[in-house]
Amino acid sequence: MVNREIERLFCYSRDELLGLPVEILIPERYKTGHSILRAGYFKNPEPRMMGKCRELFGLRKDGIEVPVEIGITPVETEEGVFVISTIVDISYRKHAEAEQRKLEEQLRQAQKMEALGQLASGIAHDINNILQAIQASAEIAVKDTIEPVLVDKFYEIIMNVERGKHVVERILSFSRQKSLNVQPLDLKKQTEATIAFLKAMLPPEVQLQLHAEPGLPHILADVNSVDLILMNLTNNAAQAMQSGGKLDIALESFYAKDNFVRMHPELNEGCYVRMLVRDTGEGMNEEIREKAFDPFFTTKASQGGSGLGLSIVQRLVLEHGGSIWIDSEEGAGTAVSCLFPAANDSAVEYIGDDISMPYGNSQRIICVDDESALQTVNNQVLSGLGYRPSVFVDPRVALDVFKSSPAEFDLAVIDYSMPFLNGIKLTSELLKIRPGFPVVIVSGSVKGSVEKQFKKVGAKALIRKPYTRLELAHTLFSVLNSD
Ligand SMILES: Nc1ncnc2c1ncn2[C@@H]1O[C@H](COP(=O)(O)OP(=O)(O)OP(=O)(O)O)[C@@H](O)[C@H]1O
Ligand SMILES: [Mg+2]
């Protein structure tokens, strides 16, 4: 006897089923056990619910298994004992239970992330103070040093501290859930810049190589986040290759097709750029791989790992509208793929090239700072950036030189606080001689009054000390190329 519901559930017609043993509806692995149980049941038949202690599955005609609940009742007839079996498809309930478990897991993750946010902002705050102290010392050291090699090194310190401050800022905003500063970004250039800095931190046994597909589209991303992602992934890779190995960073365009998007519902069909960070290190087993993104999960507790790296990376990638996954084989290595949404062409037109150093074109710069120790530094830095500097310590001398040949110069960089003529007064004198002449004021003070004064006097830009070479390069370049 077969009813409609059984026909629907198992995709067989009534005619196909009649006369066949019930085992046709049972998955292969349970078939033998079922025949034995069935024989046993007929010795002492009584109504009962099956599957109290284990899950039951039915087998459809097309081979698909369906979770079911089964109740059986013996019926005495003239022809002997028959059994009526009620089979209920519980796929829907199973699905709802799985959804519920997923939601609980998400809630648990959200609570962990909140705790993580609080912790991170505390740590970030302390690191920020330390970075400030390093920067201040490096700044003083730069002033006291005339040895060109050391000056260069101190500038490197200042620049890297600046980088560290961006990372800290990112962690702070991460815990405050601030939105990202997403802009079209040349991932190749950005990666090259970050790698130059990372190489100094990697052990010499680790060989790092970048492979970038030519003509890669720009991505829509926040520069500091991309830095942070790269840093975490390369750190993990290097830590997995204690006795050396190869670390490859590959950048390639990636089209997320509909079947891929179905597996990664966080994505939309379309163009992405994939950043692949691959190592030949120890790899991960299945259990570690599954937990790797969990906040606080670490196998490096004894080496000071916090287990936060990958959870931060995952969160950042997802906030960008991207996706991240890990391929790993124990003993062979690991590859982490991050997808970032590609910028469309019109967005790329507005690109501000933020990362490469913009060089000058031998323009003449009159630079005035009363700090005599800075004379060499300024000379070096400005020449290094492709300009021809004339550096003065006394603003009155600078003014005389400018008066005698105002057309000789293309731009002035002037310190704000100087004896005899402060930066604002000197600027106003220069502008009287040559109206519209581009002046950049440099100031160690952060008071709002400097801000107002420099605009009022007609200077084109204000740079705050301590400034990085990159900041200076950008300011000079944009002032000189503003019209
Ligand atoms: N490239 C990799 N190769 C092998 N295992 C990895 C790799 N990257 C991550 N893992 C595993 O995933 C775990 C979590 O990584 P995650 O970056 O989140 O934390 P961590 O590196 O342990 O600590 P932290 O990054 O906070 O210093 C690691 O402890 C490690 O077991
Ligand atoms: Mg890590």
Side-chain angles (χ1 to χ4, degrees):
M1 198 167 75
V2 169
N3 71 4
R4 275 258 171 83
E5 189 50 26
I6 291 298
E7 285 181 293
R8 187 201 63 78
L9 177 56
F10 289 99
C11 310
Y12 282 104
S13 70
R14 192 180 139 81
D15 294 342
E16 282 175 300
L17 283 176
L18 286 179
L20 289 178
V22 72
E23 275 76 25
I24 194 171
L25 304 179
I26 291 172
E28 196 57 46
R29 60 187 184 284
Y30 302 123
K31 266 188 187 148
T32 325
H34 190 270
S35 319
I36 298 167
L37 284 173
R38 188 153 63 99
Y41 178 79
F42 277 101
K43 285 186 187 146
N44 180 23
E46 57 183 28
R48 64 173 221 221
M49 276 300 290
M50 287 170 65
K52 272 201 187 115
C53 310
R54 61 195 169 95
E55 291 186 311
L56 299 177
F57 293 93
L59 183 67
R60 287 187 354 191
K61 187 179 176 184
D62 55 9
I64 290 177
E65 292 188 14
V66 191
V68 288
E69 250 173 25
I70 303 177
I72 43 179
T73 317
V75 187
E76 303 247 2
T77 69
E78 285 168 6
E79 291 166 47
V81 179
F82 280 81
V83 172
I84 293 186
S85 170
T86 335
I87 304 171
V88 182
D89 176 359
I90 56 166
S91 316
Y92 181 74
R93 198 175 80 205
K94 286 274 169 205
H95 180 70
E97 281 169 5
E99 278 293 302
Q100 172 77 16
R101 275 198 300 277
K102 208 165 110 196
L103 283 175
E104 280 167 9
E105 175 60 17
Q106 276 171 358
L107 182 67
R108 210 166 54 81
Q109 288 292 351
Q111 284 166 340
K112 264 198 208 168
M113 291 312 276
E114 199 184 317
L116 164 65
Q118 282 168 3
L119 183 77
S121 66
I123 298 171
H125 179 258
D126 291 349
I127 296 178
N128 222 1
N129 285 344
I130 296 169
L131 288 177
Q132 286 293 352
I134 298 175
Q135 191 166 40
S137 306
E139 215 188 310
I140 293 166
V142 133
K143 284 188 182 170
D144 289 349
T145 314
I146 40 170
E147 187 64 46
V149 182
L150 284 181
V151 167
D152 247 21
K153 289 288 163 208
F154 283 127
Y155 264 102
E156 247 171 57
I157 293 177
I158 293 174
M159 239 169 97
N160 282 327
V161 166
E162 203 56 43
R163 262 200 131 91
K165 279 162 74 179
H166 281 310
V167 172
V168 170
E169 213 173 85
R170 190 57 217 124
I171 296 174
L172 276 171
S173 57
F174 170 76
S175 55
R176 276 188 235 117
Q177 310 235 340
K178 251 208 219 157
S179 56
L180 304 170
N181 182 15
V182 170
Q183 280 174 348
L185 180 76
D186 183 335
L187 186 59
K188 178 169 178 255
K189 268 193 191 157
Q190 171 68 21
T191 308
E192 279 167 351
T194 310
I195 284 179
F197 151 80
L198 285 174
K199 268 191 175 152
M201 294 183 349
L202 290 174
E205 311 81 68
V206 170
Q207 298 164 25
L208 191 154
Q209 266 201 319
L210 173 67
H211 317 262
E213 182 186 288
L216 213 57
H218 286 71
I219 59 167
L220 285 173
D222 171 65
V223 170
N224 297 327
S225 303
V226 171
D227 237 19
L228 201 64
I229 291 168
L230 264 171
M231 257 165 31
N232 268 296
L233 296 181
T234 46
N235 265 343
N236 279 351
Q239 286 160 359
M241 299 191 287
Q242 294 295 340
S243 42
K246 284 208 284 188
L247 168 50
D248 289 320
I249 301 181
L251 308 174
E252 60 192 18
S253 50
F254 187 102
Y255 190 83
K257 287 203 195 111
D258 56 351
N259 54 351
F260 186 83
V261 170
R262 243 175 271 139
M263 277 163 17
H264 297 262
E266 66 277 17
L267 300 177
N268 295 316
E269 181 168 350
C271 294
Y272 290 82
V273 172
R274 172 179 179 179
M275 183 172 85
L276 182 76
V277 179
R278 189 174 42 212
D279 64 61
T280 55
E282 63 198 21
M284 300 181 220
N285 63 29
E286 189 58 25
E287 196 191 339
I288 296 181
R289 198 182 57 74
E290 273 179 10
K291 292 193 186 139
F293 290 120
D294 283 3
F296 303 115
F297 173 79
T298 179
T299 54
K300 306 174 206 157
S302 57
Q303 295 108 279
S306 69
L308 295 180
L310 281 179
S311 72
I312 292 180
V313 167
Q314 183 189 42
R315 161 110 174 242
L316 288 174
V317 172
L318 293 179
E319 273 186 51
H320 278 84
S323 184
I324 179 168
W325 68 92
I326 297 175
D327 296 295
S328 185
E329 198 180 317
E330 207 173 0
T334 301
V336 183
S337 300
C338 302
L339 293 189
F340 293 97
N344 60 29
D345 292 346
S346 58
V348 174
E349 282 170 23
Y350 299 106
I351 287 232
D353 195 349
D354 257 332
I355 258 325
S356 67
M357 189 76 85
Y359 288 96
N361 195 10
S362 302
Q363 291 100 327
R364 300 234 24 191
I365 293 190
I366 179 164
C367 175
V368 197
D369 194 317
D370 63 308
E371 197 80 54
S372 58
L374 282 182
Q375 218 174 346
T376 336
V377 180
N378 286 334
N379 223 327
Q380 247 194 356
V381 170
L382 289 169
S383 316
L385 288 176
Y387 298 102
R388 284 182 294 154
S390 306
V391 180
F392 300 91
V393 180
D394 189 330
R396 296 167 299 183
V397 178
L399 181 57
D400 284 344
V401 171
F402 188 77
K403 242 185 218 155
S404 61
S405 47
E408 276 277 293
F409 297 98
D410 299 296
L411 181 143
V413 177
I414 300 175
D415 189 40
Y416 174 74
S417 63
M418 292 185 295
F420 312 117
L421 271 176
N422 76 19
I424 300 294
K425 286 206 187 105
L426 178 58
T427 304
S428 112
E429 290 303 317
L430 298 188
L431 290 177
K432 268 186 219 156
I433 302 165
R434 207 181 127 183
F437 181 64
V439 177
V440 174
I441 304 251
V442 178
S443 164
S445 156
V446 287
K447 286 193 205 123
S449 57
V450 182
E451 190 90 36
K452 277 186 211 133
Q453 287 178 35
F454 103 87
K455 276 190 189 144
K456 201 165 150 205
V457 77
K460 292 278 193 296
L462 175 69
I463 307 184
R464 300 214 182 278
K465 281 184 182 173
Y467 52 86
T468 61
R469 211 187 288 235
L470 187 63
E471 263 176 85
L472 178 69
H474 271 293
T475 311
L476 298 185
F477 188 85
S478 67
V479 166
L480 283 166
N481 296 286
S482 62
D483 20 54

